[in-house]
Amino acid sequence: MNTADLTRRLDNLIRLGTIEQVDVEAHPAPRVRVMSGRLLTDWLPYFMVSAGADHDAGAPSVGEGCVILSPGGDPAQGFVLTGLPTTLWPCPDFSDTQRARHFRDGAVIRYDSETHHLEVMLPADATCLVRSLGGLTIEGDVNVVGKLTASVDVIAAGVSLVEHPTSGVQAGSGQSGPPVATS
């Protein structure tokens, strides 16, 4: 191996770049092409937070900063570590007590461990589904701003909103007594 080849391989061991193209359909793993200086790589795999039975999947964005790690200094054998801020994708505002995930449509999930506050902000036309066929428990006070719709019934302190009997029912314009718990 000559000195020029050795120098080229050393230079290629670790390279900074930006994501140029993304292919999320590639199998067995999604791939990216990276622009690093004048080098446009071939399709390379990129790191995910986790890729096992429990996984966190998401594609990097075109223009996102990255590092190419190339075993033996051969970029064709490289893999890509994403997540470096760039001028196109700068780091969002946050503090050392906050974790935030920002989405391209403006949705944000943010948790602040100092204030113990979880915030989920969705765009105006977004919807949210929580599916738990085994049930869902909310422990603590709940405040609903807006309409609340239940498809079957609402039961509060043992009183059914749909089928509760009332006490002290009388004919005419009088008012009935309070609802009676059904069990």
Side-chain angles (χ1 to χ4, degrees):
M1 183 178 304
N2 64 34
T3 305
D5 186 50
L6 183 59
T7 300
R8 180 185 58 77
R9 287 178 177 271
L10 283 172
D11 286 345
N12 285 333
L13 277 174
I14 301 173
R15 292 184 68 118
L16 295 177
T18 55
I19 303 296
E20 189 71 18
Q21 294 175 291
V22 179
D23 181 1
V24 295
E25 303 295 323
H27 290 286
R31 300 193 176 267
V32 294
R33 294 186 80 189
V34 176
M35 182 63 76
S36 178
R38 293 181 307 207
L39 170 70
L40 178 61
T41 69
D42 198 0
W43 292 101
L44 301 173
Y46 59 87
F47 280 93
M48 293 193 183
V49 173
S50 177
D54 295 329
H55 56 273
D56 185 354
S61 298
V62 170
E64 183 174 335
C66 62
V67 177
I68 308 166
L69 304 172
S70 302
D74 180 6
Q77 303 302 315
F79 41 93
V80 180
L81 182 59
T82 63
L84 296 176
T86 63
T87 53
L88 181 60
W89 300 111
C91 189
D93 292 336
F94 69 99
S95 74
D96 61 348
T97 63
Q98 290 183 358
R99 295 279 306 207
R101 173 154 252 176
H102 296 250
F103 297 88
R104 68 184 77 218
D105 66 352
V108 178
I109 301 171
R110 177 181 294 120
Y111 181 70
D112 189 317
S113 60
E114 183 176 316
T115 62
H116 313 294
H117 180 74
L118 174 66
E119 179 180 39
V120 178
M121 302 292 287
L122 299 175
D125 60 343
T127 61
C128 179
L129 169 67
V130 176
R131 181 171 304 197
S132 177
L133 300 179
L136 179 66
T137 299
I138 299 174
E139 192 171 309
D141 294 339
V142 177
N143 181 28
V144 177
V145 177
K147 182 171 75 171
L148 178 64
T149 303
S151 63
V152 179
D153 197 356
V154 175
I155 298 174
V159 177
S160 165
L161 183 64
V162 175
E163 298 185 19
H164 69 270
T166 54
S167 63
V169 176
Q170 52 184 301
S173 62
Q175 291 188 352
S176 67
V180 178
T182 53
S183 34

